[in-house]
Amino acid sequence: MKGEKSRRNRSSGRRPRTTLVLALALIAGLGATAPAGAAPAAADPAYPFRDPRLPVERRVDDLLARLTLDEKVSLLHQWQPAIPRLGIRSFKTGTEALHGVAWLGEATVFPQAVGLASTWDPALVRRVGSAVGDEARGFQQERPAGWGLNLWAPVVNPLRDPRWGRNEEGYSEDPYLTSAMATAYGTGLTGGDPRHLKTAPTLKHFLGNNNEADRTTTSSDLRPRVLKEYEEPAFRPAIEAGAATGVMSSYNLVNGRPATVNPVLDEVRAWSSHELLNVTDAYAPNNLTSSGSQKYYDTLAEGNAAALKAGIDSFTTDDTNSAPTTASLASALAGGLLAESDIDEAAGHVLDVRVRLGEFDPGGGKYGAIDKSVVNSPAHRKLARKAAADAAVLLKNAGGALPLKDSAKDVAVVGPLADTLYTDWYSGTLPYAVTPEDGIAARLGAPVAGSEGVDRISLRNTDSGAYVTAGTDADGEALRESAGAGTAAQFDVFDWGAGIVTLRSAANGKYVGYNWSGFVNDQTQPNGWFVQQQFALEEQADGTHLLRYAGYETREPWWSNPVYLGPTGPDGTLGLVAKAQAAHYAKDVVRSGTEEAVAAVRGKDAAVVVVGSMPAINGRENDDREDMGLAPSQEALVKAVRRANPRTVVVVENSYPTTLGALQREVPALLWTTHAGQETGNALADVLFGDVNPAGRLTQTWYRSEADLPSILEYDTIKHDRTYQYFKGDPLYAFGHGLSYSSFRYGQVRRVDGGYEVAVTNTGRRAGDEVVQLYTHQRVSRDKQPLKQLESFRRVSLEPGQTRTVRLGLRERDLAHWDVTRSKWVVESGTYDVLVGASSEDIRSRAALTVRGETIPARDLSRTTRAENFDDYEGVRLVDESTVRGTAVGASRDGAWLKFADSRLGSGGAEFSARVAGAAGTVEVRLGSPTGTLVGTAPVTGTGSPYTYAGVSASLSAAAKGRQDVYLVLGDGMRLSTFTVR
């Protein structure tokens, strides 16, 4: 398949196509047709593109030669129309399949991605991916709206900050673990045979995408070491392994340039031996224009042309309406911004994937016979249960509180998540739901005592005495104030922290939400892009409460309506009013949730408290987390239950590391799970009662406080001591942590060919899995190095008393880091610690490895040095050198500085020269520190444009000699591209 790379690298020239279409005028509406219908009978099986015996490249070339220019352009929008004259059906990029097929109807829902990674079991994750790929194929006979075989999964952004709203979508803060899981899941999705794709997975979101706040306008600063050592390693292995067929560009900017036009998109093609199909994120092309958020280009034609040249092949925008995209590309062609060869290049990438999917093969190819019988099959249900159980992480287990004894027959299950399952934005539709209460009851073969532990309240207007009431039918009714009481005037209050609550009507069991005109109790759970079921009960000085609408869209900049509730009509219907007109309510507690839960657990053999998050509220796409703690009322509930029953265990069900405060000291056992899909309850019961010995491990550091973290917008993991690799503090729970009902003994780690091996013995009384982890640490380096870095791991199963020799791969090249002085990977000579254990903190065996690598020489500043290749900095941002390519350094304040350590300056009397753009000022050259010896000052007159560079220079004093740490001090608004000292 190496021969199929010929279309990939634009730098080496495009492969010419056999036919060029001369006309540039395109039909503006072409491509707007949504996918529907079967291929017409006119399809000629004699066409070479329909011959599966031919190489993929030959088939693509044949098909491209048969297409008109406007037909080729139509392939570059997400919704590709049918081409009846060739018997080609419609095609769509982008079916969501993060942890099950989503948005197409009922399908198996597996644990969230961060939960799948918590298994530390690539073989299992590959099985899950294969099941999801089968189910995506299972819909192919009926092709429901939104269906396609280009899947937008997995998400491989490393989880450097647990406050990221989309934390549940990723795998780990560690790029190696992330890449292992992405490769496993993607291989399952593809079927493991890139020549014959089951599905075509797309890696999200490339690149530097880890914050939702202002996500289309913030720029992620990725200096070369962070890019090469942290970001790219999460993406590259899956592409290299053929486990993905492309990447999705992210919304954010990278080093000042929108990711949608980042030239690295095209460079990714060099990682693969197959053609890649790269796509934009939804509506991202529109952000590029003067009317969009990024304002990077004046017109859509300019933006789309730049995206295509940067490596985008498919535009995800304007939903099913492809007309704006095709019209803009026609304009770009007519204006000389694009050539037909650019269209051919991108269309060829699209068709390559379609050919490998078997679309043009008889019967749909290798996977064409899969039908809907695979969807939610018994085998997939069983796999979902196993994945959910294997993903659970036992955080604490004092005094053997878990597993629950078989004699524990009288059990209470309480808490706001005890008898419900929540789904996230990218979840599929649950075909059934086994809640924790259901699962434990099934395990015991008898009902269990239960309580959600939430207060039931009524709200009474203190002026009129009227109650807030809701509808009693299944669809609910508009909330109003009336004289009635009873269940119509009662609401269950769920506290999700940060002052946010949801109100579930006791009248019909539905949640109250805003429907753009009023408030209705009509939702089974909080949901939607705008989560409109959020409220705040604001206590006033007189003891009354205002009811504030806190729906997600109220955070949007376009929201200008008032947010407080009060009667707005003659019938008392509640609407939005200004705070001064807001109704004052007495909050009467009809039933205390804590008291009910305490009554349920008192005297029981065991109490299980299930607390956690609501995925639509506690952070999600477009909404970062405000804090990582449990809701205050949930923590209070746990403490009250613990006082009532000392045999209390706590299940934390959420999607991110949690600052558990004093709670983790007060309860004997803590078990963590993600929102784990339809089998959550059965899986929890399996673990709680010991039918499954827990072996999940944390894929992120659990911090004690948000104070342990810098701003979520700081992407420099090295400078800001992010993740377990650099964090110097005391974590609540370390990366890789997880307990077992067994105990394990490690022998001495020994070096063997290709890595290391260690004997691991199960010293417990029950069979169990241990996750053996190998880390390295470089003792001495020119550059700041990780405290520890995961290099290898294996999950192994051991019977009681059994010993297994576990082999862990480690090659010398795995010890390399990016040398910014020469822009290359380097393995330094020196001593490396090899650390093997049960977590990044629980090291059981160690060895020293002496490596004869190389010594990084002093910087040679007589060669042109790119400013971005600094060793340290303050007060600067990485910025776009031009709109097309390159990174410069921009000063964001006076006195900003860059450090270039261990630089060779010669014998003195040299001259400093640099390329500078932007504001006027000076570039100071100092030695030893930002305030050290001043050896030269280059005046900068200013260029008036951030993209217009001018040469500046300064003679350096005789002190500028020998090997020195050189500092460049910049003025505010100045951009530095390159410099030399000669």
Side-chain angles (χ1 to χ4, degrees):
M1 296 295 289
K2 290 288 185 181
E4 295 187 11
K5 296 175 69 172
S6 60
R7 286 190 300 272
R8 187 177 58 245
N9 289 324
R10 290 185 170 88
S11 60
S12 59
R14 292 180 177 82
R15 176 184 176 86
R17 295 297 174 191
T18 56
T19 300
L20 293 179
V21 180
L22 299 178
L24 295 179
L26 303 177
I27 301 173
L30 184 66
T33 306
D44 185 350
Y47 288 156
F49 77 84
R50 293 193 176 277
D51 187 348
R53 296 168 299 179
L54 295 178
V56 173
E57 185 181 39
R58 170 86 178 276
R59 299 173 70 184
V60 172
D61 285 345
D62 175 72
L63 180 51
L64 272 175
R66 298 177 189 280
L67 297 176
T68 65
L69 178 57
D70 55 359
E71 287 171 339
K72 287 184 287 189
V73 170
S74 77
L75 301 178
L76 306 188
H77 186 265
Q78 179 186 22
W79 294 85
Q80 302 169 29
I83 304 175
R85 68 184 184 83
L86 294 175
I88 295 175
R89 301 182 75 173
S90 57
F91 186 87
K92 170 184 170 287
T93 61
T95 294
E96 302 293 351
L98 184 59
H99 54 110
V101 181
W103 306 355
L104 298 181
E106 292 183 356
T108 308
V109 179
F110 294 93
Q112 292 174 314
V114 72
L116 292 175
S118 299
T119 67
W120 288 62
D121 188 345
L124 175 62
V125 172
R126 178 171 177 169
R127 289 174 58 196
V128 172
S130 181
V132 176
D134 284 346
E135 296 202 9
R137 278 281 180 174
F139 288 98
Q140 68 185 342
Q141 311 302 336
E142 61 186 56
R143 293 167 63 100
W147 172 85
L149 292 176
N150 173 240
L151 306 185
W152 286 352
V155 171
V156 295
N157 301 106
L159 304 178
R160 64 181 182 93
D161 195 310
R163 295 168 299 189
W164 185 34
R166 305 181 74 167
N167 196 82
E168 74 250 21
E169 297 183 34
Y171 291 125
S172 172
E173 68 184 35
D174 180 80
Y176 171 69
L177 181 57
T178 294
S179 70
M181 295 301 164
T183 301
Y185 191 72
T187 300
L189 292 175
T190 65
D193 176 6
R195 288 181 61 90
H196 301 92
L197 295 169
K198 182 190 298 183
T199 66
T202 301
L203 303 183
K204 298 163 65 174
H205 310 82
F206 193 80
L207 190 66
N209 179 218
N210 210 210
N211 65 276
E212 298 303 292
D214 301 321
R215 62 182 180 165
T216 70
T217 55
T218 57
S219 179
S220 304
D221 284 8
L222 302 180
R223 60 167 164 147
R225 281 195 66 195
V226 174
L227 175 66
K228 295 295 184 181
E229 297 176 25
Y230 192 70
E231 289 285 338
E232 285 187 358
F235 287 84
R236 184 166 183 158
I239 296 289
E240 289 181 331
T245 58
V247 299
M248 172 190 284
S249 61
S250 53
Y251 283 121
N252 54 280
L253 293 81
V254 176
N255 297 346
R257 182 180 295 106
T260 310
V261 292
N262 189 341
V264 179
L265 287 163
D266 206 40
E267 295 170 16
V268 167
R269 301 187 196 280
W271 301 348
S272 176
S273 58
H274 305 277
E275 298 293 353
L276 299 181
L277 164 55
N278 295 334
V279 306
T280 73
D281 210 335
Y283 278 79
N286 295 352
N287 293 334
L288 293 169
T289 69
S290 59
S291 60
S293 58
Q294 294 168 338
K295 305 185 188 310
Y296 207 69
Y297 299 97
D298 289 333
T299 66
L300 187 61
E302 292 175 286
N304 283 353
L308 204 71
K309 285 180 172 291
I312 289 296
D313 304 305
S314 177
F315 294 86
T316 312
T317 187
D318 302 307
D319 298 322
T320 61
N321 179 17
S322 64
T325 296
T326 56
S328 71
L329 294 175
S331 177
L333 283 163
L337 299 174
L338 291 174
E340 185 172 357
S341 56
D342 295 307
I343 303 298
D344 286 352
E345 187 85 1
H349 298 150
V350 173
L351 291 175
D352 184 279
V353 169
R354 293 180 66 170
V355 166
R356 287 189 283 149
L357 284 167
E359 178 180 349
F360 309 123
D361 293 356
K366 181 176 180 179
Y367 302 102
I370 297 176
D371 61 26
K372 203 170 182 180
S373 64
V374 302
V375 178
N376 192 37
S377 65
H380 290 178
R381 296 176 191 175
K382 183 178 179 180
L383 182 61
R385 181 169 180 169
K386 176 175 174 56
D390 286 1
V393 181
L394 184 59
L395 298 174
K396 179 182 179 181
N397 194 24
L402 288 174
L404 298 176
K405 307 297 186 289
D406 286 336
S407 59
K409 301 294 186 183
D410 193 6
V411 176
V413 185
V414 300
L417 281 80
D419 197 29
T420 191
L421 295 185
Y422 289 121
T423 55
D424 60 67
W425 179 248
Y426 288 106
S427 286
T429 303
L430 294 171
Y432 59 88
V434 182
T435 69
E437 184 176 317
D438 293 336
I440 291 173
R443 173 59 172 76
L444 294 174
V448 297
S451 168
E452 291 176 308
V454 300
D455 288 345
R456 178 166 289 184
I457 67 168
S458 62
L459 296 170
R460 176 173 47 85
N461 189 315
T462 55
D463 289 332
S464 67
Y467 286 87
V468 175
T469 60
T472 58
D473 60 13
D475 296 330
E477 294 176 8
L479 264 61
R480 57 175 47 88
E481 290 185 0
S482 65
T487 57
Q490 296 174 5
F491 301 89
D492 297 324
V493 183
F494 291 79
D495 176 14
W496 301 112
I500 300 299
V501 301
T502 53
L503 302 174
R504 188 181 64 194
S505 171
N508 67 354
K510 298 290 185 69
Y511 285 86
V512 175
Y514 185 58
N515 65 1
W516 302 103
S517 61
F519 296 90
V520 181
N521 56 317
D522 62 351
Q523 297 299 310
T524 56
Q525 70 175 47
N527 65 89
W529 181 255
F530 297 117
V531 187
Q532 297 175 308
Q533 294 80 37
Q534 300 180 76
F535 297 88
L537 283 165
E538 297 182 350
E539 186 170 7
Q540 305 300 296
D542 61 359
T544 63
H545 289 78
L546 303 184
L547 184 56
R548 177 168 62 86
Y549 171 52
Y552 179 69
E553 74 271 19
T554 61
R555 298 186 182 185
E556 293 290 307
W558 48 262
W559 181 267
S560 59
N561 295 332
V563 294
Y564 287 88
L565 273 68
T568 56
D571 62 349
T573 299
L574 293 184
L576 293 172
V577 298
K579 186 174 183 178
Q581 285 76 50
H584 285 246
Y585 294 110
K587 186 182 74 172
D588 300 326
V589 178
V590 178
R591 183 191 66 206
S592 166
T594 299
E595 290 178 4
E596 183 183 69
V598 165
V601 305
R602 186 170 283 125
K604 297 297 189 291
D605 296 335
V608 178
V609 189
V610 189
V611 294
S613 71
M614 200 286 133
I617 293 174
N618 296 110
R620 48 152 289 178
E621 183 172 358
N622 213 26
D623 185 17
D624 290 319
R625 239 173 304 287
E626 294 183 2
D627 65 66
M628 298 184 295
L630 283 180
S633 66
Q634 293 188 26
E635 190 163 340
L637 174 68
V638 171
K639 292 178 180 179
V641 170
R642 165 69 171 157
R643 287 192 298 269
N645 189 326
R647 296 173 296 280
T648 293
V649 298
V650 176
V651 175
V652 178
E653 184 181 341
N654 63 16
S655 315
Y656 48 90
T658 309
T659 52
L660 294 174
L663 194 64
Q664 59 90 25
R665 296 193 299 269
E666 295 179 6
V667 297
L670 279 169
L671 183 72
W672 176 75
T673 178
T674 58
H675 296 278
Q678 62 205 52
E679 286 286 343
T680 297
N682 284 331
L684 284 175
D686 289 341
V687 174
L688 292 171
F689 284 92
D691 300 324
V692 170
N693 194 343
R697 300 291 185 264
L698 297 179
T699 67
Q700 294 176 267
T701 302
W702 282 43
Y703 299 95
R704 294 184 181 275
S705 167
E706 288 87 354
D708 290 330
L709 295 166
S711 164
I712 196 172
L713 300 179
E714 294 288 2
Y715 275 77
D716 191 339
T717 55
I718 300 172
K719 184 176 180 67
H720 295 284
D721 295 332
R722 279 192 176 276
T723 80
Y724 80 95
Q725 292 186 359
Y726 294 96
F727 180 59
K728 299 183 180 71
D730 178 28
L732 181 67
Y733 294 112
F735 173 83
H737 171 76
L739 304 177
S740 169
Y741 298 150
S742 300
S743 55
F744 300 92
R745 183 178 66 242
Y746 285 63
Q748 178 58 41
V749 61
R750 299 183 305 162
R751 191 175 185 184
V752 296
D753 186 37
Y756 284 82
E757 65 180 23
V758 63
V760 180
T761 303
N762 183 347
T763 56
R765 297 182 177 180
R766 63 175 70 220
D769 289 4
E770 174 71 333
V771 179
V772 184
Q773 304 163 41
L774 185 150
Y775 299 85
T776 61
H777 168 67
Q778 184 174 346
R779 293 184 184 178
V780 179
S781 173
R782 177 198 183 277
D783 301 308
K784 182 178 179 179
Q785 293 295 329
L787 304 173
K788 294 186 185 75
Q789 184 164 339
L790 182 69
E791 302 285 3
S792 187
F793 65 90
R794 278 193 66 190
R795 179 166 173 156
V796 294
S797 300
L798 295 167
E799 294 296 322
Q802 182 184 5
T803 298
R804 287 185 62 182
T805 298
V806 180
R807 179 161 291 198
L808 300 158
L810 180 67
R811 305 156 299 181
E812 282 197 1
R813 68 188 185 198
D814 296 330
L815 304 173
H817 76 276
W818 189 253
D819 173 21
V820 295
T821 71
R822 295 172 294 171
S823 296
K824 58 175 281 190
W825 290 100
V826 60
V827 177
E828 291 182 282
S829 295
T831 301
Y832 296 75
D833 294 313
V834 178
L835 312 167
V836 176
S839 80
S840 60
E841 296 282 313
D842 185 5
I843 301 302
R844 306 288 186 88
S845 185
R846 62 183 65 221
L849 172 63
T850 301
V851 173
R852 292 184 178 179
E854 59 179 302
T855 299
I856 298 175
R859 278 185 185 267
D860 182 1
L861 296 185
S862 67
R863 298 178 178 178
T864 299
T865 298
R866 295 202 62 82
E868 65 180 310
N869 285 323
F870 49 72
D871 290 292
D872 199 4
Y873 61 94
E874 286 291 346
V876 302
R877 298 297 308 271
L878 294 175
V879 295
D880 48 341
E881 185 176 10
S882 73
T883 58
V884 178
R885 64 181 61 253
T887 296
V889 176
S892 52
R893 61 172 173 80
D894 284 332
W897 55 265
L898 303 173
K899 176 184 178 181
F900 299 87
D902 190 25
S903 297
R904 186 171 61 245
L905 296 177
S907 58
E911 182 175 77
F912 167 82
S913 60
R915 291 182 68 246
V916 181
T922 61
V923 180
E924 295 180 348
V925 184
R926 293 182 178 269
L927 304 179
S929 78
T931 57
T933 303
L934 177 64
V935 295
T937 301
V940 178
T941 58
T943 65
S945 166
Y947 302 128
T948 301
Y949 286 83
V952 300
S953 62
S955 296
L956 302 184
S957 71
K961 63 182 178 179
R963 292 175 68 163
Q964 302 269 6
D965 290 345
V966 174
Y967 287 78
L968 301 183
V969 183
L970 311 175
D972 186 19
M974 195 175 298
R975 289 186 171 203
L976 176 63
S977 171
T978 61
F979 71 96
T980 58
V981 177
R982 291 178 179 151

